[in-house]
Structure formats: C-alpha cells, structure tokens
Amino acid sequence: MILLKELDYKNHKLIEMEKKHNETSAAMNKLIMGLTENINSGERCLFEMEYKYNEFLPMVKKLMDERSKMHDRYHNEFQQLKALNSNMIRDMECLEKEHKQLTEELKETKTLNDLQQRSFIEEIKSLRRELQDQYAEENCSSLATQLDTFRQQLKLKMERLGHVESMYNSVIVKECQYKQELVDAREESVKSLKDVFHSRSQLVIKRMGALDTKPFQDACMHKYSSENWQEICAQLCSSWEENLKNANWHPYKIVEVNGTLQEIVDENDEKLKVLRTEYGEMVYKAVSDALMELQQYNASARYPVPVIWNRKEGRRACLKEVIRYIGKQLHSCKRKRKRN
C-alpha cells in the first residue's frame, strides 16, 4: 500500500509538470499569434519579435526535454509498480486457495475425529462386554493376559486419538493465522485507500456503526421549526452517540428465523420506544441500523470502524473487489499518460 501512495505522489508531480508545460505552451502560442498580427507593422517590429522568439525558444526546448525525461522515468516506475501489483494479486489468490484448502481439511479432520471417537468408544464397550462374558469361564491367569491385551489395544487407540487431535489443532491454528492475515489485509487496505476513493466510485469507505444524522436533522427541523432546531439536533445526536458507545446498554434480543437463532434490535427497549414516539420511524431506523452494525463489526468496543463498502450492492467489499479496483485505477492512469 506504500507503493500506492508513492504512485499517487508521482502522478501528482507529473500532473504539475504537465500543467506547467501547458501554461508555457499557451504563453508561447499567444506570443506567436501576437507576432503574426504585428508582422505588417514594419521590419523593425518583425526583427524585435523574432529576437524575442529566438530568446524563448531554447527555454521551450529545454522544458520539452525535461518533460520527456520525466515522462520516461515515471513510465518506468509505473511499470515496476504494475509488476508489484501483479505479484500482490497472485499472493492474495494463493491465500484464498490456501484458506479453501484449510477449510476443507478442517471439515474432513473434524469428521474423521468424530467417527474415530465413536469407533473407539464402541470398541471399548465391545471389549468390556467380551471381558465380562469371558470372566466366568477363564481363570485368573487368562484374565490377566486379556487385561494386558486390552490395555495395549486401549493405549494404541489413545495414541491414534491423540494424533488425530493434534492434526485437528494444527488445522485450527492455521485457520486462525489465515483469518488474522485477512483482518490485517483489510485494515491495511482501508488505511491505504481512504484517499483514493471518490464520490462516484462503486467502492467507498463506510464507518460501520456511525450514526446517520440526516434523519435527526429532518425530524428536528420539522418539530422545532420556530426554535433553534440546529442546536437541539446537535445535542440529540451527541446524546445518542454516547448511548451507542455504552456497553452496559444492550438493546438486543434472540429470535428464531427459519430455524436459525439470530440477534436483532429489541424494539421494545424503553429508550428506543421513547425515541420512536417522539421523533419518528426514520430516526429510530438510523439508531437501530447503527446498533446492528456495531454488533456485527465491533460488539466488544462499541465504536464505529471503517470498512471498504460496495455502495452499489449495499454490502462489505471482498478483497478480490478491492484488488480489481486498484488494477483498474492503475490501468486508467496508464491510458491517461499514453494520451498525454
């Protein structure tokens, strides 16, 4: 992501150089037009204008040479950044493949572990039944031999069970490491791309759990039209932002939806009922949406967290979409340079 910042900085410098060149070119064009218009005024004016033109021409050539050198250098650096971006995309694809493989291995190992545990329990029960059946028929010496055999079999099965549990724990650790890598990658992408997205892009930075103040403004402007509604609105928003941060306030309930237990906002909570009655449905929805976002993205700390949001589809953007967006921006920069 540092490379992206560096690319943005160098793009900015190139644009400044091009702007300076365009200004100089405009000045030259204006000067040349003036020379053309004043040719008929006499040979003396012509000589003076030609002298000025020859005086500025070396400077223009020098600027053109500098611009050409700057363009070549930035083009080479752009190609290097493009190669690094390709490597990053390949690394992310490898991480995704590894995650899928680890998930499948985890499922298979868990299933195998459950089956082997049940099999071990059944075998132990079977051995106990056989031992009880043979106890009345065999003497103490035979019983001791069978007990030793049983202990050896039990020891081998416990060793196998321990091996399976060790494999299962190893897969769990790998999955945790991969999840942490994904979390770190998302956090770094938010930090690095917060200045890249613009108002019309499909991907934006959204603060999940942040209170939308627009419904509060509309409600207060309608309710307190003859008073200082802006001050009242600011105090109301500030009060509810503090309520959202309060970890002791837990306005949620568990319900069953299609056979699955889900946690939703408790609309019978006293604070929410008063808010809904006094300020209406849109204000209540703004608070309930913020509550659900906090519960999903930062339930422990209860403060808004930035995520990369797919505005068109109304969901959190996956890393594949973020990398595709970066690639498009690099390709767009390359085409602009070619046109210039």
Side-chain angles (χ1 to χ4, degrees), residues 100-116:
K100 291 180 180 178
Q101 183 178 357
L102 287 173
T103 303
E104 292 175 358
E105 291 178 358
L106 178 62
K107 291 180 180 178
E108 293 176 358
T109 305
K110 186 176 181 180
T111 303
L112 178 62
N113 185 36
D114 294 339
L115 290 174
Q116 288 189 346

Side-chain angles (χ1 to χ4, degrees), residues 233-281:
C233 178
Q235 293 175 355
L236 184 64
C237 291
S238 177
S239 174
W240 276 99
E241 285 175 348
E242 291 300 321
N243 287 336
L244 291 174
K245 295 177 183 178
N246 185 7
N248 295 324
W249 184 48
H250 196 80
Y252 303 99
K253 64 180 179 179
I254 304 296
V255 296
E256 184 175 351
V257 180
N258 298 327
T260 304
L261 294 179
Q262 294 184 5
E263 192 172 34
I264 63 173
V265 174
D266 185 5
E267 59 185 10
N268 293 320
D269 179 83
E270 289 301 324
K271 288 184 179 180
L272 295 178
K273 287 172 65 176
V274 173
L275 177 69
R276 195 179 217 169
T277 302
E278 292 185 1
Y279 295 97
E281 190 67 28

Side-chain angles (χ1 to χ4, degrees), residues 308-325:
I308 299 179
W309 189 258
N310 188 321
R311 183 169 52 186
K312 182 179 180 181
E313 299 183 12
R315 59 170 175 80
R316 186 178 191 177
C318 62
L319 286 176
K320 186 176 181 180
E321 292 175 314
V322 176
I323 294 174
R324 188 186 297 121
Y325 180 88

Side-chain angles (χ1 to χ4, degrees), residues 142-314:
S142 177
L143 179 61
T145 302
Q146 291 180 1
L147 284 173
D148 291 338
T149 303
F150 171 74
R151 289 192 184 96
Q152 292 176 0
Q153 292 176 348
L154 183 61
K155 182 179 179 181
L156 291 174
K157 294 183 185 300
M158 292 303 294
E159 290 176 353
R160 290 174 57 192
L161 179 61
H163 178 66
V164 172
E165 290 178 347
S166 177
M167 291 176 58
Y168 176 79
N169 292 332
S170 177
V171 173
I172 290 292
V173 171
K174 287 183 179 180
E175 185 180 29
C176 291
Q177 291 175 346
Y178 179 75
K179 287 182 177 179
Q180 186 59 44
E181 288 179 357
L182 290 179
V183 171
D184 294 341
R186 286 186 180 277
E187 292 178 351
E188 188 62 28
S189 64
V190 170
K191 293 178 183 177
S192 302
L193 299 176
K194 62 182 180 181
D195 296 328
V196 175
F197 299 130
H198 52 79
S199 59
R200 292 179 296 175
S201 62
Q202 182 176 350
L203 303 183
V204 294
I205 301 294
K206 181 178 180 182
R207 295 176 70 246
M208 306 306 294
L211 186 63
D212 183 7
T213 59
K214 181 65 167 57
F216 286 82
Q217 294 173 358
D218 294 340
C220 289
M221 184 168 54
H222 177 74
K223 186 173 183 178
Y224 307 105
S225 56
S226 60
E227 302 176 26
N228 189 4
W229 67 269
Q230 293 180 335
E231 183 177 350
I232 297 175
C233 178
Q235 293 175 355
L236 184 64
C237 291
S238 177
S239 174
W240 276 99
E241 285 175 348
E242 291 300 321
N243 287 336
L244 291 174
K245 295 177 183 178
N246 185 7
N248 295 324
W249 184 48
H250 196 80
Y252 303 99
K253 64 180 179 179
I254 304 296
V255 296
E256 184 175 351
V257 180
N258 298 327
T260 304
L261 294 179
Q262 294 184 5
E263 192 172 34
I264 63 173
V265 174
D266 185 5
E267 59 185 10
N268 293 320
D269 179 83
E270 289 301 324
K271 288 184 179 180
L272 295 178
K273 287 172 65 176
V274 173
L275 177 69
R276 195 179 217 169
T277 302
E278 292 185 1
Y279 295 97
E281 190 67 28
M282 297 306 296
V283 172
Y284 166 81
K285 186 177 184 303
V287 174
S288 62
D289 288 347
L291 283 168
M292 288 305 299
E293 289 175 358
L294 285 174
Q295 191 66 7
Q296 181 179 358
Y297 290 94
N298 195 9
S300 59
R302 294 286 288 270
Y303 61 82
V305 293
V307 301
I308 299 179
W309 189 258
N310 188 321
R311 183 169 52 186
K312 182 179 180 181
E313 299 183 12

Side-chain angles (χ1 to χ4, degrees), residues 59-169:
M59 183 178 67
V60 174
K61 290 182 178 180
K62 183 178 179 181
L63 289 174
M64 291 292 291
D65 292 338
E66 290 179 356
R67 180 185 178 279
S68 178
K69 292 178 181 179
M70 289 288 291
H71 183 274
D72 293 340
R73 185 166 76 249
Y74 285 132
H75 177 73
N76 294 333
E77 293 178 355
F78 173 78
Q79 293 297 327
Q80 294 176 359
L81 289 173
K82 185 178 179 182
L84 291 174
N85 180 63
S86 300
N87 294 334
M88 183 179 68
I89 293 175
R90 285 196 298 270
D91 292 341
M92 291 304 301
E93 290 177 350
C94 292
L95 282 173
E96 290 180 355
K97 291 180 181 178
E98 184 179 353
H99 176 256
K100 291 180 180 178
Q101 183 178 357
L102 287 173
T103 303
E104 292 175 358
E105 291 178 358
L106 178 62
K107 291 180 180 178
E108 293 176 358
T109 305
K110 186 176 181 180
T111 303
L112 178 62
N113 185 36
D114 294 339
L115 290 174
Q116 288 189 346
Q117 282 184 340
R118 288 196 292 269
S119 176
F120 292 157
I121 292 173
E122 292 297 328
E123 290 181 9
I124 291 172
K125 290 181 179 179
S126 177
L127 287 171
R128 285 178 177 173
R129 287 195 296 268
E130 291 178 4
L131 185 61
Q132 291 174 355
D133 293 339
Q134 295 178 6
Y135 180 75
E137 299 176 1
E138 298 180 355
N139 54 27
C140 295
S141 176
S142 177
L143 179 61
T145 302
Q146 291 180 1
L147 284 173
D148 291 338
T149 303
F150 171 74
R151 289 192 184 96
Q152 292 176 0
Q153 292 176 348
L154 183 61
K155 182 179 179 181
L156 291 174
K157 294 183 185 300
M158 292 303 294
E159 290 176 353
R160 290 174 57 192
L161 179 61
H163 178 66
V164 172
E165 290 178 347
S166 177
M167 291 176 58
Y168 176 79
N169 292 332

